[in-house]
Amino acid sequence: MNRFRIFTSVCVDALAEISKCCVTIENGRIVSLEAIANSGSPQPGDIDGGRSVLMPGFVDIHIHGGAGKYVMDGGEESILEIASHLASHGITGFLPTTVTAPRDEIRSTVEASAQLFHSPDNGKSGAAVLGTHLEGPFINPKKKGAQPEEYIIPPSVDELMAQVGSHLDTIKVMTIAPEIPGALDVIKFLCANDIIASIGHSNASYDEMCLGINAGARHVTHCFNAMRPMEGREPGVVGATLMHKELSAELIWDNIHVHPASCAALINAKGVDGVIFISDGIQAAGMEEGFKFSIGGTQIISKNGAARLADGTLAGSLLTLDRAVANAHILSLKDRAKMSSFNALRALGLSHRKGLIRPGYDADLVLLGANGTVKRTFIGGREIYSADSLVD
Amino acid sequence: MNIVISETKQETGSKAAALGAAVIREVLSNRDSANIIVATGASQFEMLDALVREPDIDWSRLTIFHLDEYVGMPESHPASFRKYLRERFINRLPVAPAAFHAIDAEFDPEIECKRLNALLGPLDVAVAFVGIGENGHLAFNDPPADFGTTEPYIVVDLDTECRLQQLGEGWFPSLEDVPTEAISMSIQQILVSEVIICTVPDLRKAKAVQGTVEGPMTPKVPASSMQNHPKTTLFLDKPSASLLKPQ
């Protein structure tokens, strides 16, 4: 039996913030939490977190790449390299996210992601693959952002099935524009198959948003970015997101894609249970400024803290969720634990075993040092990442 | 208690449904009508899915009651148990049942209990399909459960452990949103059912299963009250049975 304890000055999850706490982990799961006063001193094999903060591992449900790799490179290897890069930033689970692309490219990415999802080694060398997020190709060309317009196609369940083959059960989120003819039928199909229909890259009016919600859409992709903004007479996608409680909203808190005041406004409107931090990270995340790459033939450069097309259009972020959690310092740690972990896991239907620091839950944990730097990442009780020193 | 351990959740659910269906067919071959009780929650997904597909059951001769419902909850709420049962069970039956007596505690739980008690009190129950909570609860009888009351339905308080389970299963956005009161079928009412079919998959239930089977019969583990029931079968998967002593 593999058993060890983590001693920490603060242990925070979506339910509580406990100081001076000792968490016992046995065979990959949390078995107890107790006050340090009752647990003696760290023994060999235990981890003395000193002044670090212990949180549930972060979960990123929208990420395209990192460390120079792209989830659509075509194989399991790139996704595994991204997974390992993510673990070094405290992410313990993620959804490899496709972009609008030819059917074969989407399909081979879905297959690679499904292989990893079902593998007994999932989560043993990096963040665990929790499924796949399909961003497009059923989106609105008017709000394409950096998605290649030539591969945007009309929504249909047949086309979706051709993209996913026998792996429908591994698809967890699909980003779709509800105003495009045929989209509502796809949204209904997604709901019937327990896949989150997420509205994004959309120019929907408020009325079109209501039809999408009525069809079963429950989520909004990178709120504020690549969508119709809110105006007094036409609430658009953003207004409907703020208004409708049943929608949870993804948010890229990198202080570039969304102004921090807009982030705060979104959280004020939706409450701390309705917002999910995502990175929307691409290859250049974790690489030096000036890193150049291409997606589907489009040249992209990492410049001024974000990835941009030649014309300056934002093309994904350089963010990792540890930085999002640090950027959101105006919120309590407990609220940040909700938005970086619990809310996403709840949406994925996994919150009964992941996302809280409670007995019975998987030991997917991150230890954070000063300024939110990741010191240790544990996935299923395994130490997957360790910074040189626990002391800052 | 009989115990049946299966490899997977699906197998656990279909075996439980198969036994339940067999009992229902047997009862209906001797009587014109019968009453059954169904449960809700994540543990019943596979069982109900299999039960609605069981052949040769004349559902039109069955009256259906259910175990519990939150106080103050409209049927439109995603966590509503009557919504769950209509969507996952009643609406999927090949023919409509004789009656489905949904618990509606949105406005006045005391009056609703009186209504239900008048309906269920005089009836025999052929089969009760139940589950066990992470805290060992049976229906919404959280520990310490009232083993004595013979009222069919009662108003109960929900403890934090029980409310955390509901949060973890994703029915509510935050702990504050989980109601603190519910209407629950009483322990005694469940125990007067002729046959009890208890379906409990998942590792997170292992401790509760251990207490139910191996522990003393105590209100602290409400499901342990089934130990003396002559016709109870516990359907487990490998993870939920993992703490039981080898037989």
Side-chain angles (χ1 to χ4, degrees):
Chain A
M1 174 163 40
N2 174 19
R3 177 191 162 100
F4 67 99
R5 300 181 298 170
I6 302 175
F7 289 69
T8 173
S9 67
V10 188
C11 167
V12 190
D13 69 6
L15 296 169
E17 185 168 331
I18 306 167
S19 42
K20 297 205 174 21
C21 175
C22 169
V23 177
T24 305
I25 291 154
E26 221 172 79
N27 296 329
R29 285 171 184 267
I30 297 160
V31 291
S32 76
L33 256 94
E34 58 185 357
I36 284 185
N38 301 331
S39 47
S41 53
Q43 302 297 311
D46 290 347
I47 289 164
D48 185 355
R51 300 184 59 184
S52 4
V53 175
L54 186 70
M55 289 177 84
F58 308 132
V59 173
D60 194 347
I61 61 169
H62 187 150
I63 167 144
H64 304 289
K69 299 292 173 188
Y70 183 41
V71 297
M72 298 188 81
D73 281 342
E76 293 160 36
E77 223 153 88
S78 313
I79 301 180
L80 280 174
E81 284 189 44
I82 294 163
S84 148
H85 150 77
L86 289 176
S88 71
H89 290 277
I91 291 100
T92 54
F94 72 116
L95 300 182
T97 305
T98 61
V99 299
T100 298
R103 183 198 288 172
D104 291 347
E105 281 182 38
I106 294 178
R107 186 166 176 136
S108 59
T109 308
V110 166
E111 276 166 6
S113 179
Q115 290 295 331
L116 296 170
F117 175 80
H118 290 300
S119 159
D121 292 328
N122 194 15
K124 288 190 182 165
S125 63
V129 172
L130 302 176
T132 306
H133 178 162
L134 301 175
E135 188 179 14
F138 309 146
I139 58 173
N140 191 329
K142 283 188 187 142
K143 292 290 177 189
K144 65 179 190 294
Q147 306 251 337
E149 184 163 350
E150 63 267 39
Y151 302 120
I152 296 175
I153 49 176
S156 88
V157 171
D158 288 346
E159 177 56 35
L160 171 62
M161 288 311 293
Q163 288 163 13
V164 305
S166 58
H167 303 296
L168 190 68
D169 62 323
T170 66
I171 309 298
K172 301 299 171 192
V173 183
M174 181 175 210
T175 293
I176 184 165
E179 70 277 20
I180 306 292
L184 297 179
D185 285 337
V186 173
I187 292 174
K188 284 178 195 154
F189 176 82
L190 294 170
C191 288
N193 287 284
D194 286 329
I195 299 167
I196 300 166
S198 184
I199 297 175
H201 288 279
S202 162
N203 197 37
S205 66
Y206 182 74
D207 289 347
E208 288 163 336
M209 283 297 288
C210 289
L211 292 176
I213 295 166
N214 217 19
R218 288 291 172 269
H219 191 75
V220 171
T221 298
H222 45 51
C223 188
F224 298 114
N225 301 112
M227 60 178 55
R228 184 188 278 222
M230 176 171 167
E231 290 173 55
R233 283 184 292 283
E234 174 44 78
V237 181
V238 171
T241 305
L242 299 180
M243 154 78 201
H244 284 272
K245 254 196 142 172
E246 51 270 68
L247 296 175
S248 50
E250 291 182 359
L251 179 63
I252 308 172
W253 197 322
D254 64 351
N255 291 340
I256 293 172
H257 280 72
V258 183
H259 192 288
S262 299
C263 295
L266 178 71
I267 291 163
N268 281 347
K270 301 217 60 72
V272 290
D273 304 309
V275 176
I276 297 174
F277 291 166
I278 56 149
S279 70
D280 198 14
I282 37 83
Q283 289 90 315
M287 305 298 279
E288 73 287 1
E289 174 98 359
F291 179 78
K292 284 183 193 157
F293 59 100
S294 73
I295 295 182
T298 311
Q299 291 299 314
I300 300 175
I301 181 164
S302 154
K303 201 174 158 190
N304 300 330
R308 298 170 195 274
L309 305 183
D311 66 1
T313 302
L314 285 169
S317 85
L318 309 184
L319 184 67
T320 44
L321 288 190
D322 53 334
R323 296 332 297 163
V325 166
N327 290 340
H329 55 79
I330 56 169
L331 304 170
S332 72
L333 275 172
K334 186 177 143 188
D335 290 347
R336 286 183 268 169
K338 286 186 173 183
M339 286 180 249
S340 61
S341 182
F342 185 79
N343 294 353
L345 290 162
R346 179 174 172 261
L348 295 175
L350 294 172
S351 55
H352 60 289
R353 59 186 180 90
K354 288 181 185 291
L356 294 177
I357 304 180
R358 283 192 72 207
Y361 274 64
D362 291 350
D364 294 353
L365 300 164
V366 57
L367 264 177
L368 299 175
N371 304 319
T373 7
V374 174
K375 294 293 183 186
R376 294 278 193 283
T377 306
F378 302 90
I379 302 174
R382 271 194 179 76
E383 186 177 283
I384 302 293
Y385 170 77
S386 166
D388 297 341
S389 144
L390 262 177
V391 189
D392 289 298
Chain B
M1 273 189 287
N2 299 313
I3 297 174
V4 177
I5 301 170
S6 306
E7 288 292 328
T8 65
K9 245 190 238 197
Q10 276 70 23
E11 206 186 319
T12 307
S14 50
K15 280 187 186 162
L19 176 63
V23 174
I24 292 171
R25 284 185 207 109
E26 164 81 23
V27 170
L28 287 181
S29 70
N30 299 322
R31 286 185 240 164
D32 290 340
S33 64
N35 308 297
I36 67 166
I37 291 164
V38 286
T40 48
S43 67
Q44 304 296 307
F45 287 164
E46 292 80 13
M47 196 286 294
L48 289 174
D49 200 47
L51 187 60
V52 297
R53 287 185 276 115
E54 280 288 336
D56 305 323
I57 296 177
D58 185 356
W59 293 98
S60 69
R61 290 155 62 197
L62 290 171
T63 295
I64 298 166
F65 289 86
H66 68 119
L67 286 180
D68 40 20
E69 178 62 288
Y70 297 103
V71 165
M73 180 162 287
E75 186 163 336
S76 56
H77 192 289
S80 155
F81 289 158
R82 53 202 195 280
K83 171 188 165 78
Y84 170 119
L85 283 171
R86 273 194 242 276
E87 289 176 355
R88 293 185 178 267
F89 185 54
I90 305 294
N91 295 350
R92 294 173 59 201
L93 292 173
V95 293
F100 169 51
H101 294 298
I103 306 170
D104 181 350
E106 186 175 358
F107 300 111
D108 192 329
E110 300 294 343
I111 290 180
E112 178 66 354
C113 277
K114 277 187 192 153
R115 180 185 78 86
L116 291 162
N117 292 349
L119 280 169
L120 179 57
L123 302 178
D124 296 330
V125 176
V127 191
F129 293 94
V130 302
I132 300 177
E134 287 173 32
N135 64 353
H137 74 200
L138 190 56
F140 260 147
N141 298 288
D142 285 337
D146 186 340
F147 277 11
T149 183
T150 53
E151 292 288 311
Y153 285 98
I154 53 176
V155 178
V156 294
D157 292 326
L158 301 179
D159 71 13
T160 305
E161 195 61 23
C162 166
R163 293 169 64 230
L164 280 168
Q165 176 186 337
Q166 307 308 325
L167 174 72
E169 288 185 6
W171 304 104
F172 299 91
S174 78
L175 187 60
E176 295 71 44
D177 291 305
V178 186
T180 54
E181 269 190 318
I183 287 184
S184 174
M185 191 173 282
S186 66
I187 296 281
Q188 285 302 329
Q189 175 63 42
I190 294 169
L191 293 180
V192 297
S193 310
E194 217 165 302
V195 173
I196 297 177
I197 292 179
C198 183
T199 312
V200 196
D202 256 358
L203 187 63
R204 63 197 166 95
K205 303 286 181 77
K207 223 172 197 159
V209 166
Q210 185 187 33
T212 300
V213 176
E214 293 174 358
M217 194 155 71
T218 162
K220 286 183 196 159
V221 183
S224 65
S225 59
M226 294 186 291
Q227 285 175 5
N228 280 351
H229 186 272
K231 287 186 184 174
T232 291
T233 307
L234 208 50
F235 289 90
L236 308 174
D237 64 358
K238 283 243 161 106
S240 69
S242 58
L243 294 179
L244 292 181
K245 289 192 198 106
Q247 311 212 331

